[in-house]
Amino acid sequence: MKKVKSVIFCVLMALILLFSLIGGGCDGVKAPTDTLTVALSTFAEETFLPWNGGVARQTYLGLIYEFLAYADPETAEPQPGLATSWDMSADGMTWTFEIREGVQFHEDWGELTAEDVKYSWERMIDEESIGSPASQMRDLIDTIEVTDTHEVVLTLQTPYAELIPSLLMDYNAGGMIVCKDYVEEVGDDDANAHPIGTGPYTLAEEHQAAGPIVLEVIDGVEDHWRVTPEFKTVTFLLVPEEATRVNMLLAGEADLAPISYDSVETIENEGLRVVSIPDNWVPLIWFGGITETQEARYDPDQPWFDLRVRQALNYAIDRQEIADTIFHGEATPAGSSNPVPGWIDIVPYPYDTAMAIQLLEDAGYDEDNPLEVTLKTLTANPGAELPIIGEAVAGYWEALGVVDVTIIPTDWGSVRSELLAAQSNSYLFTQRGQPFAEALTPATIFYAPTGPFTSYATEESAALLDEMLSELDADRRVELAEDFGQLLHDDAAGIFIVYANEPYGASDKVGEWPTIRMRPFNIELITHP
């Protein structure tokens, strides 16, 4: 009888083990299986602390750490994360955050508390921090006070109603929280080599420069408070060459990779899928010398200082043709510089060569006295297509018969240096408009009256921006954002070309991938087919 009981016990244990391996628990949560291999064009700084690198790293850091708030994949609206709620004071100067209880750091480093939030913010705004939101947060934050174990109060230097979507959601590192005790005990070097967060993944092995970044699920991930991933391991490979990434997809050596627009048809013809992050960036052209609020960047002698010239150069471009050809349908004509709420629905300039010619003639240009334009072209990421787009735009302009264009290939570093030194007044240059969850952030980066990267500002736009910054009513801020975007369009602040998707090739191992408009995040949410 004892032998029979022993056999029955062994059989039962074997069944339980088998059930858990194939994805069963009493609560129905399946154990993660298999490996997802992601080939990326860049790892950026290849560092693993929020304050020692830029936002591009969050494609992999977002699996290790977690954020105070998360963007809804459909609407981009803030949803509770490590913060269960937040409250802004009536004057917009004080924010109170309630921190989620019971969230545990990896490897028994304890429960996340308000002290960890305070420490993460302090490290981000430290003078040595190079985190993507560091400078903006330094300018905003006055004091940080822990008022309870799971409550922290942030006092600002100036009201900022868009604090959460602008800085503290999962596409910016301001809301990424580290373990204070761990970093202080082991130091930055060791904490960078072996990061401790609260996310569903951890580094499986120490990362070597340019080598794979291999992440594996944490012990007990089935009980993770936010998500139990479907893939046990996620391996990121650094593959700068687009052709190599495509070949890896076709050979089954990669399951997900950014691809060029020219490769979309190839991927689809081979039976693989293309998953695009919609409205991810805007190829655009900035005018030099039209920042009226900065004497050094103000040059009324430039021909495009005349509004008629700027509008003519906009009317002359067939945006739909660029969307159909260069972007292979992965784009739509743009009416603004950034794909953000309040701007994205602005009606773009129509393709009207007759109007363009008439405006140029009214401004004094004809075949005997053509408009002379210097256009500097450069690449960005995304934005490898910018030089080709520059050539296409120059072709549209010259087809008018009254414009002569000189194209100068260059790089962002050179243009950036000239822009910061106020030496970019005499030419136009290509650039990309980035995605954000709200309009205030791009408005303060690209159109602030005294900003270092401002390409357009007038007394009218500066006054409207001040009103946007001080407005605390959400509905009124939406109205002001729409007004600001329309002003930029009507005054031809730049040449906004298309809202471009960012396409990724996906193998048959990839099921659903909830994405947001911003960047290729949410890797931990990718499902099996």
Side-chain angles (χ1 to χ4, degrees), residues 3 21 39 41 45 48 52 126 184 191 205 236 294 321 344 354 374 386 437-438 441 453 488 511 524 527:
K3 185 175 182 181
L21 288 175
S41 62
E45 293 86 356
F48 293 87
N52 63 7
D126 185 85
E184 288 188 334
E205 58 191 44
F236 294 94
Q294 298 184 38
E321 185 174 58
I344 199 166
T374 296
L386 285 173
E438 39 70 45
T441 296
F453 293 103
L488 299 176
E524 73 276 19
T527 68

mmCIF file with all atom_site columns, all heavy atoms in Angstrom, residues 3 21 39 41 45 48 52 126 184 191 205 236 294 321 344 354 374 386 437-438 441 453 488 511 524 527:
data_model
loop_
_atom_site.group_PDB
_atom_site.id
_atom_site.type_symbol
_atom_site.label_atom_id
_atom_site.label_alt_id
_atom_site.label_comp_id
_atom_site.label_asym_id
_atom_site.label_entity_id
_atom_site.label_seq_id
_atom_site.pdbx_PDB_ins_code
_atom_site.Cartn_x
_atom_site.Cartn_y
_atom_site.Cartn_z
_atom_site.occupancy
_atom_site.B_iso_or_equiv
_atom_site.pdbx_formal_charge
_atom_site.auth_seq_id
_atom_site.auth_comp_id
_atom_site.auth_asym_id
_atom_site.auth_atom_id
_atom_site.pdbx_PDB_model_num
ATOM 1   N N   . LYS A 1 3   ? 3.789  1.448  -1.188  1.00 0.00 ? 3   LYS A N   1
ATOM 2   C CA  . LYS A 1 3   ? 4.391  1.580  -2.510  1.00 0.00 ? 3   LYS A CA  1
ATOM 3   C C   . LYS A 1 3   ? 3.416  2.207  -3.497  1.00 0.00 ? 3   LYS A C   1
ATOM 4   O O   . LYS A 1 3   ? 3.762  3.057  -4.309  1.00 0.00 ? 3   LYS A O   1
ATOM 5   C CB  . LYS A 1 3   ? 4.855  0.213  -3.010  1.00 0.00 ? 3   LYS A CB  1
ATOM 6   C CG  . LYS A 1 3   ? 5.591  0.272  -4.330  1.00 0.00 ? 3   LYS A CG  1
ATOM 7   C CD  . LYS A 1 3   ? 6.134  -1.098 -4.709  1.00 0.00 ? 3   LYS A CD  1
ATOM 8   C CE  . LYS A 1 3   ? 6.907  -1.015 -6.017  1.00 0.00 ? 3   LYS A CE  1
ATOM 9   N NZ  . LYS A 1 3   ? 7.440  -2.338 -6.433  1.00 0.00 ? 3   LYS A NZ  1
ATOM 10  N N   . LEU A 1 21  ? 4.801  23.715 -16.425 1.00 0.00 ? 21  LEU A N   1
ATOM 11  C CA  . LEU A 1 21  ? 5.697  23.969 -17.552 1.00 0.00 ? 21  LEU A CA  1
ATOM 12  C C   . LEU A 1 21  ? 4.935  24.361 -18.809 1.00 0.00 ? 21  LEU A C   1
ATOM 13  O O   . LEU A 1 21  ? 5.407  25.172 -19.606 1.00 0.00 ? 21  LEU A O   1
ATOM 14  C CB  . LEU A 1 21  ? 6.544  22.722 -17.830 1.00 0.00 ? 21  LEU A CB  1
ATOM 15  C CG  . LEU A 1 21  ? 7.648  22.413 -16.798 1.00 0.00 ? 21  LEU A CG  1
ATOM 16  C CD1 . LEU A 1 21  ? 8.317  21.087 -17.119 1.00 0.00 ? 21  LEU A CD1 1
ATOM 17  C CD2 . LEU A 1 21  ? 8.674  23.548 -16.763 1.00 0.00 ? 21  LEU A CD2 1
ATOM 18  N N   . ALA A 1 39  ? 16.465 42.950 -33.034 1.00 0.00 ? 39  ALA A N   1
ATOM 19  C CA  . ALA A 1 39  ? 17.651 43.577 -33.624 1.00 0.00 ? 39  ALA A CA  1
ATOM 20  C C   . ALA A 1 39  ? 17.416 45.082 -33.710 1.00 0.00 ? 39  ALA A C   1
ATOM 21  O O   . ALA A 1 39  ? 16.475 45.525 -34.353 1.00 0.00 ? 39  ALA A O   1
ATOM 22  C CB  . ALA A 1 39  ? 17.927 43.002 -35.007 1.00 0.00 ? 39  ALA A CB  1
ATOM 23  N N   . SER A 1 41  ? 18.950 49.182 -34.301 1.00 0.00 ? 41  SER A N   1
ATOM 24  C CA  . SER A 1 41  ? 19.972 49.941 -35.035 1.00 0.00 ? 41  SER A CA  1
ATOM 25  C C   . SER A 1 41  ? 20.951 50.616 -34.098 1.00 0.00 ? 41  SER A C   1
ATOM 26  O O   . SER A 1 41  ? 22.066 50.947 -34.489 1.00 0.00 ? 41  SER A O   1
ATOM 27  C CB  . SER A 1 41  ? 19.307 50.976 -35.940 1.00 0.00 ? 41  SER A CB  1
ATOM 28  O OG  . SER A 1 41  ? 18.562 51.906 -35.163 1.00 0.00 ? 41  SER A OG  1
ATOM 29  N N   . GLU A 1 45  ? 23.665 54.838 -25.420 1.00 0.00 ? 45  GLU A N   1
ATOM 30  C CA  . GLU A 1 45  ? 24.852 54.856 -24.563 1.00 0.00 ? 45  GLU A CA  1
ATOM 31  C C   . GLU A 1 45  ? 25.206 53.487 -23.987 1.00 0.00 ? 45  GLU A C   1
ATOM 32  O O   . GLU A 1 45  ? 26.286 53.313 -23.409 1.00 0.00 ? 45  GLU A O   1
ATOM 33  C CB  . GLU A 1 45  ? 24.652 55.841 -23.394 1.00 0.00 ? 45  GLU A CB  1
ATOM 34  C CG  . GLU A 1 45  ? 24.584 57.291 -23.796 1.00 0.00 ? 45  GLU A CG  1
ATOM 35  C CD  . GLU A 1 45  ? 23.188 57.729 -24.199 1.00 0.00 ? 45  GLU A CD  1
ATOM 36  O OE1 . GLU A 1 45  ? 22.274 56.874 -24.229 1.00 0.00 ? 45  GLU A OE1 1
ATOM 37  O OE2 . GLU A 1 45  ? 23.007 58.918 -24.487 1.00 0.00 ? 45  GLU A OE2 1
ATOM 38  N N   . PHE A 1 48  ? 22.771 51.626 -17.941 1.00 0.00 ? 48  PHE A N   1
ATOM 39  C CA  . PHE A 1 48  ? 21.588 51.012 -17.354 1.00 0.00 ? 48  PHE A CA  1
ATOM 40  C C   . PHE A 1 48  ? 21.053 51.737 -16.125 1.00 0.00 ? 48  PHE A C   1
ATOM 41  O O   . PHE A 1 48  ? 20.299 51.156 -15.353 1.00 0.00 ? 48  PHE A O   1
ATOM 42  C CB  . PHE A 1 48  ? 21.899 49.551 -17.007 1.00 0.00 ? 48  PHE A CB  1
ATOM 43  C CG  . PHE A 1 48  ? 22.143 48.693 -18.218 1.00 0.00 ? 48  PHE A CG  1
ATOM 44  C CD1 . PHE A 1 48  ? 23.416 48.599 -18.767 1.00 0.00 ? 48  PHE A CD1 1
ATOM 45  C CD2 . PHE A 1 48  ? 21.103 48.016 -18.837 1.00 0.00 ? 48  PHE A CD2 1
ATOM 46  C CE1 . PHE A 1 48  ? 23.648 47.822 -19.889 1.00 0.00 ? 48  PHE A CE1 1
ATOM 47  C CE2 . PHE A 1 48  ? 21.329 47.239 -19.957 1.00 0.00 ? 48  PHE A CE2 1
ATOM 48  C CZ  . PHE A 1 48  ? 22.605 47.141 -20.494 1.00 0.00 ? 48  PHE A CZ  1
ATOM 49  N N   . ASN A 1 52  ? 22.241 58.172 -16.591 1.00 0.00 ? 52  ASN A N   1
ATOM 50  C CA  . ASN A 1 52  ? 23.512 58.156 -17.318 1.00 0.00 ? 52  ASN A CA  1
ATOM 51  C C   . ASN A 1 52  ? 23.366 57.865 -18.804 1.00 0.00 ? 52  ASN A C   1
ATOM 52  O O   . ASN A 1 52  ? 24.258 57.314 -19.450 1.00 0.00 ? 52  ASN A O   1
ATOM 53  C CB  . ASN A 1 52  ? 24.508 57.192 -16.671 1.00 0.00 ? 52  ASN A CB  1
ATOM 54  C CG  . ASN A 1 52  ? 24.045 55.742 -16.694 1.00 0.00 ? 52  ASN A CG  1
ATOM 55  O OD1 . ASN A 1 52  ? 23.028 55.409 -17.304 1.00 0.00 ? 52  ASN A OD1 1
ATOM 56  N ND2 . ASN A 1 52  ? 24.789 54.867 -16.037 1.00 0.00 ? 52  ASN A ND2 1
ATOM 57  N N   . ASP A 1 126 ? 20.508 65.939 -10.717 1.00 0.00 ? 126 ASP A N   1
ATOM 58  C CA  . ASP A 1 126 ? 21.877 66.248 -10.319 1.00 0.00 ? 126 ASP A CA  1
ATOM 59  C C   . ASP A 1 126 ? 22.635 66.877 -11.491 1.00 0.00 ? 126 ASP A C   1
ATOM 60  O O   . ASP A 1 126 ? 22.376 66.554 -12.662 1.00 0.00 ? 126 ASP A O   1
ATOM 61  C CB  . ASP A 1 126 ? 22.584 64.968 -9.866  1.00 0.00 ? 126 ASP A CB  1
ATOM 62  C CG  . ASP A 1 126 ? 23.970 65.231 -9.316  1.00 0.00 ? 126 ASP A CG  1
ATOM 63  O OD1 . ASP A 1 126 ? 24.094 65.542 -8.130  1.00 0.00 ? 126 ASP A OD1 1
ATOM 64  O OD2 . ASP A 1 126 ? 24.938 65.152 -10.109 1.00 0.00 ? 126 ASP A OD2 1
ATOM 65  N N   . GLU A 1 184 ? 22.983 53.064 -3.457  1.00 0.00 ? 184 GLU A N   1
ATOM 66  C CA  . GLU A 1 184 ? 23.868 53.654 -2.447  1.00 0.00 ? 184 GLU A CA  1
ATOM 67  C C   . GLU A 1 184 ? 24.834 52.623 -1.861  1.00 0.00 ? 184 GLU A C   1
ATOM 68  O O   . GLU A 1 184 ? 25.978 52.954 -1.528  1.00 0.00 ? 184 GLU A O   1
ATOM 69  C CB  . GLU A 1 184 ? 23.040 54.294 -1.339  1.00 0.00 ? 184 GLU A CB  1
ATOM 70  C CG  . GLU A 1 184 ? 22.336 55.575 -1.765  1.00 0.00 ? 184 GLU A CG  1
ATOM 71  C CD  . GLU A 1 184 ? 21.687 56.311 -0.615  1.00 0.00 ? 184 GLU A CD  1
ATOM 72  O OE1 . GLU A 1 184 ? 21.337 55.656 0.387   1.00 0.00 ? 184 GLU A OE1 1
ATOM 73  O OE2 . GLU A 1 184 ? 21.528 57.542 -0.725  1.00 0.00 ? 184 GLU A OE2 1
ATOM 74  N N   . ALA A 1 191 ? 25.851 49.189 -9.864  1.00 0.00 ? 191 ALA A N   1
ATOM 75  C CA  . ALA A 1 191 ? 24.412 49.272 -10.139 1.00 0.00 ? 191 ALA A CA  1
ATOM 76  C C   . ALA A 1 191 ? 24.154 49.380 -11.626 1.00 0.00 ? 191 ALA A C   1
ATOM 77  O O   . ALA A 1 191 ? 23.105 48.931 -12.120 1.00 0.00 ? 191 ALA A O   1
ATOM 78  C CB  . ALA A 1 191 ? 23.812 50.469 -9.407  1.00 0.00 ? 191 ALA A CB  1
ATOM 79  N N   . GLU A 1 205 ? 22.932 38.370 -17.973 1.00 0.00 ? 205 GLU A N   1
ATOM 80  C CA  . GLU A 1 205 ? 24.399 38.343 -17.941 1.00 0.00 ? 205 GLU A CA  1
ATOM 81  C C   . GLU A 1 205 ? 24.905 39.759 -18.069 1.00 0.00 ? 205 GLU A C   1
ATOM 82  O O   . GLU A 1 205 ? 24.214 40.632 -18.591 1.00 0.00 ? 205 GLU A O   1
ATOM 83  C CB  . GLU A 1 205 ? 24.933 37.491 -19.098 1.00 0.00 ? 205 GLU A CB  1
ATOM 84  C CG  . GLU A 1 205 ? 24.472 37.987 -20.470 1.00 0.00 ? 205 GLU A CG  1
ATOM 85  C CD  . GLU A 1 205 ? 24.762 37.020 -21.610 1.00 0.00 ? 205 GLU A CD  1
ATOM 86  O OE1 . GLU A 1 205 ? 24.513 35.801 -21.428 1.00 0.00 ? 205 GLU A OE1 1
ATOM 87  O OE2 . GLU A 1 205 ? 25.235 37.482 -22.668 1.00 0.00 ? 205 GLU A OE2 1
ATOM 88  N N   . PHE A 1 236 ? 18.397 41.504 -27.114 1.00 0.00 ? 236 PHE A N   1
ATOM 89  C CA  . PHE A 1 236 ? 18.562 42.648 -28.012 1.00 0.00 ? 236 PHE A CA  1
ATOM 90  C C   . PHE A 1 236 ? 19.928 42.540 -28.681 1.00 0.00 ? 236 PHE A C   1
ATOM 91  O O   . PHE A 1 236 ? 20.955 42.374 -28.003 1.00 0.00 ? 236 PHE A O   1
ATOM 92  C CB  . PHE A 1 236 ? 18.460 43.963 -27.237 1.00 0.00 ? 236 PHE A CB  1
ATOM 93  C CG  . PHE A 1 236 ? 17.108 44.227 -26.648 1.00 0.00 ? 236 PHE A CG  1
ATOM 94  C CD1 . PHE A 1 236 ? 16.821 43.857 -25.341 1.00 0.00 ? 236 PHE A CD1 1
ATOM 95  C CD2 . PHE A 1 236 ? 16.109 44.832 -27.396 1.00 0.00 ? 236 PHE A CD2 1
ATOM 96  C CE1 . PHE A 1 236 ? 15.573 44.094 -24.791 1.00 0.00 ? 236 PHE A CE1 1
ATOM 97  C CE2 . PHE A 1 236 ? 14.853 45.070 -26.858 1.00 0.00 ? 236 PHE A CE2 1
ATOM 98  C CZ  . PHE A 1 236 ? 14.587 44.692 -25.549 1.00 0.00 ? 236 PHE A CZ  1
ATOM 99  N N   . GLN A 1 294 ? 15.025 86.717 -30.609 1.00 0.00 ? 294 GLN A N   1
ATOM 100 C CA  . GLN A 1 294 ? 16.450 86.608 -30.281 1.00 0.00 ? 294 GLN A CA  1
ATOM 101 C C   . GLN A 1 294 ? 17.246 87.395 -31.318 1.00 0.00 ? 294 GLN A C   1
ATOM 102 O O   . GLN A 1 294 ? 17.272 87.030 -32.495 1.00 0.00 ? 294 GLN A O   1
ATOM 103 C CB  . GLN A 1 294 ? 16.904 85.145 -30.266 1.00 0.00 ? 294 GLN A CB  1
ATOM 104 C CG  . GLN A 1 294 ? 16.215 84.291 -29.221 1.00 0.00 ? 294 GLN A CG  1
ATOM 105 C CD  . GLN A 1 294 ? 16.769 82.874 -29.188 1.00 0.00 ? 294 GLN A CD  1
ATOM 106 O OE1 . GLN A 1 294 ? 17.964 82.644 -29.346 1.00 0.00 ? 294 GLN A OE1 1
ATOM 107 N NE2 . GLN A 1 294 ? 15.883 81.902 -28.975 1.00 0.00 ? 294 GLN A NE2 1
ATOM 108 N N   . GLU A 1 321 ? 2.689  62.737 -52.739 1.00 0.00 ? 321 GLU A N   1
ATOM 109 C CA  . GLU A 1 321 ? 3.618  61.981 -53.580 1.00 0.00 ? 321 GLU A CA  1
ATOM 110 C C   . GLU A 1 321 ? 4.816  61.503 -52.766 1.00 0.00 ? 321 GLU A C   1
ATOM 111 O O   . GLU A 1 321 ? 5.281  60.367 -52.936 1.00 0.00 ? 321 GLU A O   1
ATOM 112 C CB  . GLU A 1 321 ? 4.095  62.840 -54.755 1.00 0.00 ? 321 GLU A CB  1
ATOM 113 C CG  . GLU A 1 321 ? 4.969  62.062 -55.736 1.00 0.00 ? 321 GLU A CG  1
ATOM 114 C CD  . GLU A 1 321 ? 5.311  62.878 -56.965 1.00 0.00 ? 321 GLU A CD  1
ATOM 115 O OE1 . GLU A 1 321 ? 5.903  63.974 -56.789 1.00 0.00 ? 321 GLU A OE1 1
ATOM 116 O OE2 . GLU A 1 321 ? 5.000  62.439 -58.088 1.00 0.00 ? 321 GLU A OE2 1
ATOM 117 N N   . ILE A 1 344 ? -1.859 67.452 -34.726 1.00 0.00 ? 344 ILE A N   1
ATOM 118 C CA  . ILE A 1 344 ? -1.810 66.426 -35.764 1.00 0.00 ? 344 ILE A CA  1
ATOM 119 C C   . ILE A 1 344 ? -2.960 66.524 -36.759 1.00 0.00 ? 344 ILE A C   1
ATOM 120 O O   . ILE A 1 344 ? -2.868 66.029 -37.883 1.00 0.00 ? 344 ILE A O   1
ATOM 121 C CB  . ILE A 1 344 ? -1.754 65.026 -35.122 1.00 0.00 ? 344 ILE A CB  1
ATOM 122 C CG1 . ILE A 1 344 ? -1.236 63.991 -36.129 1.00 0.00 ? 344 ILE A CG1 1
ATOM 123 C CG2 . ILE A 1 344 ? -3.101 64.636 -34.549 1.00 0.00 ? 344 ILE A CG2 1
ATOM 124 C CD1 . ILE A 1 344 ? -0.841 62.681 -35.512 1.00 0.00 ? 344 ILE A CD1 1
ATOM 125 N N   . ALA A 1 354 ? 0.602  76.935 -58.790 1.00 0.00 ? 354 ALA A N   1
ATOM 126 C CA  . ALA A 1 354 ? 0.174  78.254 -59.264 1.00 0.00 ? 354 ALA A CA  1
ATOM 127 C C   . ALA A 1 354 ? 0.207  79.268 -58.124 1.00 0.00 ? 354 ALA A C   1
ATOM 128 O O   . ALA A 1 354 ? 0.669  80.409 -58.296 1.00 0.00 ? 354 ALA A O   1
ATOM 129 C CB  . ALA A 1 354 ? -1.220 78.174 -59.871 1.00 0.00 ? 354 ALA A CB  1
ATOM 130 N N   . THR A 1 374 ? 19.858 78.035 -49.925 1.00 0.00 ? 374 THR A N   1
ATOM 131 C CA  . THR A 1 374 ? 20.822 77.006 -49.538 1.00 0.00 ? 374 THR A CA  1
ATOM 132 C C   . THR A 1 374 ? 20.144 76.068 -48.561 1.00 0.00 ? 374 THR A C   1
ATOM 133 O O   . THR A 1 374 ? 19.609 76.495 -47.531 1.00 0.00 ? 374 THR A O   1
ATOM 134 C CB  . THR A 1 374 ? 22.070 77.619 -48.871 1.00 0.00 ? 374 THR A CB  1
ATOM 135 O OG1 . THR A 1 374 ? 22.746 78.441 -49.818 1.00 0.00 ? 374 THR A OG1 1
ATOM 136 C CG2 . THR A 1 374 ? 23.014 76.530 -48.388 1.00 0.00 ? 374 THR A CG2 1
ATOM 137 N N   . LEU A 1 386 ? 16.057 61.705 -44.711 1.00 0.00 ? 386 LEU A N   1
ATOM 138 C CA  . LEU A 1 386 ? 16.051 63.165 -44.809 1.00 0.00 ? 386 LEU A CA  1
ATOM 139 C C   . LEU A 1 386 ? 16.836 63.712 -46.002 1.00 0.00 ? 386 LEU A C   1
ATOM 140 O O   . LEU A 1 386 ? 16.366 64.650 -46.659 1.00 0.00 ? 386 LEU A O   1
ATOM 141 C CB  . LEU A 1 386 ? 16.567 63.775 -43.498 1.00 0.00 ? 386 LEU A CB  1
ATOM 142 C CG  . LEU A 1 386 ? 15.584 63.725 -42.321 1.00 0.00 ? 386 LEU A CG  1
ATOM 143 C CD1 . LEU A 1 386 ? 16.254 64.206 -41.041 1.00 0.00 ? 386 LEU A CD1 1
ATOM 144 C CD2 . LEU A 1 386 ? 14.344 64.564 -42.602 1.00 0.00 ? 386 LEU A CD2 1
ATOM 145 N N   . ALA A 1 437 ? 3.364  63.294 -26.028 1.00 0.00 ? 437 ALA A N   1
ATOM 146 C CA  . ALA A 1 437 ? 1.966  63.044 -25.660 1.00 0.00 ? 437 ALA A CA  1
ATOM 147 C C   . ALA A 1 437 ? 1.160  64.315 -25.579 1.00 0.00 ? 437 ALA A C   1
ATOM 148 O O   . ALA A 1 437 ? -0.061 64.264 -25.491 1.00 0.00 ? 437 ALA A O   1
ATOM 149 C CB  . ALA A 1 437 ? 1.899  62.308 -24.321 1.00 0.00 ? 437 ALA A CB  1
ATOM 150 N N   . GLU A 1 438 ? 1.822  65.468 -25.593 1.00 0.00 ? 438 GLU A N   1
ATOM 151 C CA  . GLU A 1 438 ? 1.122  66.750 -25.516 1.00 0.00 ? 438 GLU A CA  1
ATOM 152 C C   . GLU A 1 438 ? 1.960  67.805 -26.230 1.00 0.00 ? 438 GLU A C   1
ATOM 153 O O   . GLU A 1 438 ? 3.135  67.593 -26.534 1.00 0.00 ? 438 GLU A O   1
ATOM 154 C CB  . GLU A 1 438 ? 0.842  67.141 -24.063 1.00 0.00 ? 438 GLU A CB  1
ATOM 155 C CG  . GLU A 1 438 ? 1.959  66.810 -23.076 1.00 0.00 ? 438 GLU A CG  1
ATOM 156 C CD  . GLU A 1 438 ? 3.187  67.649 -23.252 1.00 0.00 ? 438 GLU A CD  1
ATOM 157 O OE1 . GLU A 1 438 ? 3.029  68.870 -23.408 1.00 0.00 ? 438 GLU A OE1 1
ATOM 158 O OE2 . GLU A 1 438 ? 4.296  67.111 -23.237 1.00 0.00 ? 438 GLU A OE2 1
ATOM 159 N N   . THR A 1 441 ? 5.418  70.369 -24.620 1.00 0.00 ? 441 THR A N   1
ATOM 160 C CA  . THR A 1 441 ? 6.836  70.016 -24.662 1.00 0.00 ? 441 THR A CA  1
ATOM 161 C C   . THR A 1 441 ? 7.505  70.466 -25.961 1.00 0.00 ? 441 THR A C   1
ATOM 162 O O   . THR A 1 441 ? 8.523  71.170 -25.919 1.00 0.00 ? 441 THR A O   1
ATOM 163 C CB  . THR A 1 441 ? 7.032  68.510 -24.436 1.00 0.00 ? 441 THR A CB  1
ATOM 164 O OG1 . THR A 1 441 ? 6.581  68.175 -23.127 1.00 0.00 ? 441 THR A OG1 1
ATOM 165 C CG2 . THR A 1 441 ? 8.499  68.133 -24.568 1.00 0.00 ? 441 THR A CG2 1
ATOM 166 N N   . PHE A 1 453 ? 17.515 76.006 -28.993 1.00 0.00 ? 453 PHE A N   1
ATOM 167 C CA  . PHE A 1 453 ? 17.225 75.307 -30.242 1.00 0.00 ? 453 PHE A CA  1
ATOM 168 C C   . PHE A 1 453 ? 16.006 75.895 -30.961 1.00 0.00 ? 453 PHE A C   1
ATOM 169 O O   . PHE A 1 453 ? 15.450 75.283 -31.863 1.00 0.00 ? 453 PHE A O   1
ATOM 170 C CB  . PHE A 1 453 ? 16.996 73.818 -29.975 1.00 0.00 ? 453 PHE A CB  1
ATOM 171 C CG  . PHE A 1 453 ? 18.221 73.096 -29.516 1.00 0.00 ? 453 PHE A CG  1
ATOM 172 C CD1 . PHE A 1 453 ? 18.390 72.764 -28.186 1.00 0.00 ? 453 PHE A CD1 1
ATOM 173 C CD2 . PHE A 1 453 ? 19.236 72.771 -30.407 1.00 0.00 ? 453 PHE A CD2 1
ATOM 174 C CE1 . PHE A 1 453 ? 19.527 72.105 -27.747 1.00 0.00 ? 453 PHE A CE1 1
ATOM 175 C CE2 . PHE A 1 453 ? 20.372 72.112 -29.984 1.00 0.00 ? 453 PHE A CE2 1
ATOM 176 C CZ  . PHE A 1 453 ? 20.526 71.784 -28.650 1.00 0.00 ? 453 PHE A CZ  1
ATOM 177 N N   . LEU A 1 488 ? 1.591  78.347 -36.045 1.00 0.00 ? 488 LEU A N   1
ATOM 178 C CA  . LEU A 1 488 ? 2.819  77.864 -36.675 1.00 0.00 ? 488 LEU A CA  1
ATOM 179 C C   . LEU A 1 488 ? 2.574  77.517 -38.145 1.00 0.00 ? 488 LEU A C   1
ATOM 180 O O   . LEU A 1 488 ? 3.415  77.799 -39.013 1.00 0.00 ? 488 LEU A O   1
ATOM 181 C CB  . LEU A 1 488 ? 3.334  76.627 -35.941 1.00 0.00 ? 488 LEU A CB  1
ATOM 182 C CG  . LEU A 1 488 ? 3.693  76.795 -34.463 1.00 0.00 ? 488 LEU A CG  1
ATOM 183 C CD1 . LEU A 1 488 ? 4.097  75.452 -33.868 1.00 0.00 ? 488 LEU A CD1 1
ATOM 184 C CD2 . LEU A 1 488 ? 4.816  77.813 -34.289 1.00 0.00 ? 488 LEU A CD2 1
ATOM 185 N N   . GLY A 1 511 ? 3.035  38.032 -31.857 1.00 0.00 ? 511 GLY A N   1
ATOM 186 C CA  . GLY A 1 511 ? 1.597  38.160 -31.976 1.00 0.00 ? 511 GLY A CA  1
ATOM 187 C C   . GLY A 1 511 ? 1.195  39.618 -31.926 1.00 0.00 ? 511 GLY A C   1
ATOM 188 O O   . GLY A 1 511 ? 1.448  40.388 -32.849 1.00 0.00 ? 511 GLY A O   1
ATOM 189 N N   . GLU A 1 524 ? 7.719  44.235 -23.327 1.00 0.00 ? 524 GLU A N   1
ATOM 190 C CA  . GLU A 1 524 ? 7.271  43.219 -22.378 1.00 0.00 ? 524 GLU A CA  1
ATOM 191 C C   . GLU A 1 524 ? 5.811  42.822 -22.597 1.00 0.00 ? 524 GLU A C   1
ATOM 192 O O   . GLU A 1 524 ? 5.351  41.817 -22.050 1.00 0.00 ? 524 GLU A O   1
ATOM 193 C CB  . GLU A 1 524 ? 7.470  43.706 -20.936 1.00 0.00 ? 524 GLU A CB  1
ATOM 194 C CG  . GLU A 1 524 ? 6.499  44.776 -20.467 1.00 0.00 ? 524 GLU A CG  1
ATOM 195 C CD  . GLU A 1 524 ? 6.891  46.193 -20.837 1.00 0.00 ? 524 GLU A CD  1
ATOM 196 O OE1 . GLU A 1 524 ? 7.712  46.356 -21.765 1.00 0.00 ? 524 GLU A OE1 1
ATOM 197 O OE2 . GLU A 1 524 ? 6.373  47.134 -20.215 1.00 0.00 ? 524 GLU A OE2 1
ATOM 198 N N   . THR A 1 527 ? 2.995  39.526 -27.345 1.00 0.00 ? 527 THR A N   1
ATOM 199 C CA  . THR A 1 527 ? 2.441  38.199 -27.095 1.00 0.00 ? 527 THR A CA  1
ATOM 200 C C   . THR A 1 527 ? 2.912  37.192 -28.139 1.00 0.00 ? 527 THR A C   1
ATOM 201 O O   . THR A 1 527 ? 3.419  37.562 -29.207 1.00 0.00 ? 527 THR A O   1
ATOM 202 C CB  . THR A 1 527 ? 0.907  38.235 -27.117 1.00 0.00 ? 527 THR A CB  1
ATOM 203 O OG1 . THR A 1 527 ? 0.471  38.515 -28.465 1.00 0.00 ? 527 THR A OG1 1
ATOM 204 C CG2 . THR A 1 527 ? 0.363  39.295 -26.173 1.00 0.00 ? 527 THR A CG2 1
#
